[in-house]
Amino acid sequence: MASIFGHALTAVTIGSGFSKKIKDKKFWFLGILCAIIPDADVIGFQFHIPYESFWGHRGFSHSILFAVFLGILVTALFYSKSFFSKKGLLFMAFFTLCTVSHALLDGLTNGGLGVALFSPFDNTRYFLPWRPIQVSPIGASRFFSHWGLKVIYSELYYIGIPALLYIVFVFFVKRFTKHKHKAERK
Ligand SMILES: [Zn+2]
């Protein structure tokens, strides 16, 4: 895993690109939750599920298919009224992207096994070709250590800076298109 903070920040970054009209507290909360939830699979370690198995850490819960399912499920549960509308599609896209972002970030980390991105069709564990992010320890106690500090530094650098750039970029694009609409209406 990247750390919870890295995953949450990624969800916020993705959300920044979405329309203001659909963003309420629930939107942010659920988005962050989707970006973190794949790591609920660490519970498997308690039940002696091997890391490399289908249900193991970074297994099926880190796949694209799981992300699509979760995106649909969260929208159906929390935005049922908008489910069959354009808004509903936006919600599904957002929650799916947040969930997929988790696996992609994990794929950028320098430790553990890769992510089963194409599970259940292909259970190979993949990493991205470039793995600059310091892998985060499993469990909070180990996070508050030298290792945790290293994680925070590497995430500030490799997640924080791109996230900030993206948010600023979106801000200016939105402003520009707003002005353009206003000018067109005049
Ligand atoms: Zn993970």
Side-chain angles (χ1 to χ4, degrees), residues 1-2 7 36 38-39 41 57-58 61-62 102-103 106 115:
M1 56 172 93
H7 289 304
I36 295 171
D39 275 347
D41 62 8
H57 183 43
R58 291 182 170 178
S61 67
H62 287 55
H102 179 109
D106 279 1
V115 287

Side-chain angles (χ1 to χ4, degrees), residues 49-71:
I49 295 173
Y51 196 148
E52 66 280 3
S53 86
F54 179 85
W55 296 113
H57 183 43
R58 291 182 170 178
F60 179 65
S61 67
H62 287 55
S63 69
I64 295 171
L65 191 70
F66 175 84
V68 173
F69 276 149
L70 193 67

Side-chain angles (χ1 to χ4, degrees), residues 2-71:
S3 80
I4 271 186
F5 309 109
H7 289 304
L9 176 61
T10 311
V12 172
T13 308
I14 296 169
S16 72
F18 279 75
S19 161
K20 231 189 206 167
K21 288 177 200 147
I22 64 167
K23 290 191 279 199
D24 52 10
K25 272 189 201 145
K26 201 164 70 169
F27 173 91
W28 292 114
F29 176 77
L30 292 170
I32 291 172
L33 197 70
C34 284
I36 295 171
I37 232 166
D39 275 347
D41 62 8
V42 294
I43 203 159
F45 287 127
Q46 304 284 334
F47 300 101
H48 306 289
I49 295 173
Y51 196 148
E52 66 280 3
S53 86
F54 179 85
W55 296 113
H57 183 43
R58 291 182 170 178
F60 179 65
S61 67
H62 287 55
S63 69
I64 295 171
L65 191 70
F66 175 84
V68 173
F69 276 149
L70 193 67

Side-chain angles (χ1 to χ4, degrees), residues 107-129:
L108 287 167
T109 60
N110 62 5
L113 295 180
V115 287
L117 206 55
F118 305 108
S119 175
F121 312 106
D122 164 15
N123 288 309
T124 312
R125 300 302 190 90
Y126 291 96
F127 277 112
L128 289 164

Side-chain angles (χ1 to χ4, degrees), residues 56-95:
H57 183 43
R58 291 182 170 178
F60 179 65
S61 67
H62 287 55
S63 69
I64 295 171
L65 191 70
F66 175 84
V68 173
F69 276 149
L70 193 67
I72 294 172
L73 183 71
V74 170
T75 307
L77 287 178
F78 296 95
Y79 295 96
S80 53
K81 279 187 196 143
S82 331
F83 191 79
F84 292 106
S85 67
K86 199 180 143 199
K87 251 186 173 180
L89 276 179
L90 285 175
F91 285 127
M92 278 177 231
F94 174 59
F95 297 128

